């Protein structure tokens, strides 16, 4: 039995072998860091691009050993790992659930369908989408974010027609065959708050948001919330609180839930 770990942690791999020492299974590390301590691992594979080559490495290993778990905590790997679990019949988060947590547009659609108040958002695939959404939301400022980048960073804030024309002057992508990975949302004024909570949290908005998403019942999640000028509380984004308790996330994905999960205060 083998646990495969997909690693692209900045600065080098965390001590996965120590965290999973009680698993009683072989550990195989697939990493994009060339200088890696191999102690505790049955095998370490260095794959610099960590794209399709990492997927092929997982499939190659699965052909020669029984894979009991696949660990992947970096945002770019979540959907890839989910698809591999589906294909190989491995327990854990599948592609559909991973897509909801990795894509803020899908995430907010799921939250709204469950009655959880959230900031509106729309996918941007063409220039006309920006004009359409801005008109739909009353013609005020809009924020454009990079939909597939870790943390979904802001690409631009378009406050008026001049900003919109300048942002779209050269198109949304380097060439016509590339699909933009952008989202747009109204640039709402207010104060932003970050909460680390769980589906068992006592705060209703946090609990409702996490319960509406495919979130594990024990792990802490990072929930960003906007307190709008109207007084309304709106969910912005939700992601796994890897930076807060990376060990717990790794152990949960390996089928070894931590007994030391911290209950977070706001």
């Amino acid at each position: 039995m083998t646990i495969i770990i997909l690693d692209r942690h900045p600065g080098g791999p965390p001590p996965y072998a120590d965290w999973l020492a009680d698993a009683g299974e072989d550990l195989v590390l697939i990493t994009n860091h060339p200088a890696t301590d191999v102690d505790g691992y049955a095998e370490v594979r260095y794959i610099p691009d960590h794209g399709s080559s990492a997927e092929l490495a997982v499939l190659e290993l699965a052909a020669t050993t029984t894979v009991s778990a696949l660990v992947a905590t970096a945002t770019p790997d979540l959907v890839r790992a989910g698809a591999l679990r589906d294909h190989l019949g491995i327990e854990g988060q599948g592609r559909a659930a991973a897509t909801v947590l990795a894509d803020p547009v899908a995430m907010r659609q799921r939250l709204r369908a469950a009655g959880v108040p959230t900031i509106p958002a729309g996918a941007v695939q063409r220039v006309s989408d920006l004009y359409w959404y801005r008109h739909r939301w009353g013609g005020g400022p809009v924020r454009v974010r990079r939909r597939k980048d870790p943390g979904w960073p802001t690409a631009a804030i378009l406050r008026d027609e001049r900003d919109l024309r300048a942002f779209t002057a050269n198109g949304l992508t380097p060439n016509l065959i590339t699909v933009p990975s952008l989202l747009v949302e109204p640039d709402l004024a207010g104060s932003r708050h970050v909460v680390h909570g769980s589906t068992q949290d006592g705060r209703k908005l946090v609990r409702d948001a996490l319960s509406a998403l495919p979130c594990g019942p024990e792990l802490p999640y990072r929930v960003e919330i906007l307190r709008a000028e109207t007084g309304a509380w709106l969910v912005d984004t939700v992601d796994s609180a890897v930076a807060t308790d990376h060990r717990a996330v790794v152990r949960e994905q390996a089928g070894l839930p931590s007994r030391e999960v911290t209950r977070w205060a706001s």
Side-chain angles (χ1 to χ4, degrees):
M1 302 286 281
T2 300
I3 297 173
I4 299 177
I5 305 158
L6 297 179
D7 168 72
R8 65 166 89 200
H9 194 272
Y16 298 112
D18 292 340
W19 292 348
L20 302 177
D22 59 335
E25 301 182 21
D26 289 339
L27 304 178
V28 175
L29 179 67
I30 298 175
T31 179
N32 62 346
H33 296 284
T36 299
D37 185 356
V38 300
D39 288 347
Y41 298 104
E43 183 179 352
V44 174
R45 295 195 182 191
Y46 167 55
I47 298 179
D49 65 11
H50 220 279
S52 59
S53 297
E55 297 175 22
L56 292 173
V58 172
L59 295 175
E60 180 183 326
L61 287 163
T64 59
T65 185
T66 300
V67 180
S68 62
L70 180 61
V71 174
T73 59
T75 300
D77 290 332
L78 296 181
V79 176
R80 173 181 292 112
L84 285 167
R85 292 189 190 102
D86 289 342
H87 179 70
L88 297 172
I90 301 172
E91 290 292 325
Q93 187 181 75
R95 185 183 185 282
T99 299
V100 171
L101 291 174
D103 179 8
V105 175
M107 178 187 300
R108 293 182 190 180
Q109 289 173 344
R110 177 76 71 92
L111 290 172
R112 287 197 301 274
V116 179
T118 183
I119 300 172
V124 177
Q125 296 186 322
R126 58 190 67 83
V127 171
S128 59
D129 290 334
L130 289 171
Y131 284 89
W132 187 86
Y133 279 112
R134 182 168 179 265
H135 174 75
R136 179 184 180 186
W137 294 326
V142 295
R143 181 187 301 265
V144 182
R145 298 171 72 169
R146 301 195 185 282
R147 187 177 175 186
K148 295 182 180 179
D149 290 1
W152 310 296
T154 298
I157 296 177
L158 311 178
R159 303 192 182 281
D160 51 31
E161 185 76 15
R162 183 173 60 181
D163 285 350
L164 203 157
R165 287 199 303 269
F167 181 73
T168 60
N170 297 317
L172 299 175
T173 58
N175 54 66
L176 292 176
I177 63 173
T178 303
V179 178
S181 59
L182 301 172
L183 70 91
V184 62
E185 63 189 22
D187 185 38
L188 300 177
S191 57
R192 292 180 180 271
H193 305 264
V194 174
V195 177
H196 293 93
S198 74
T199 55
Q200 301 173 357
D201 200 284
R203 292 155 292 196
K204 185 177 187 302
L205 182 59
V206 174
R207 184 181 66 250
D208 289 351
L210 294 175
S211 297
L213 298 172
C215 297
E218 296 294 335
L219 292 177
Y221 286 82
R222 180 182 182 278
V223 185
E224 186 167 346
I225 303 170
L226 172 70
R227 177 70 180 274
E229 288 186 333
T230 61
W233 288 93
L234 304 173
V235 175
D236 182 343
T237 54
V238 176
D239 60 5
S240 177
V242 169
T244 305
D245 198 344
H246 195 178
R247 175 183 179 274
V249 176
V250 168
R251 288 180 60 82
E252 191 273 343
Q253 290 191 3
L256 301 167
S258 173
R259 297 178 182 178
E260 302 171 8
V261 174
T262 304
R263 299 303 177 195
W264 300 96
S266 60

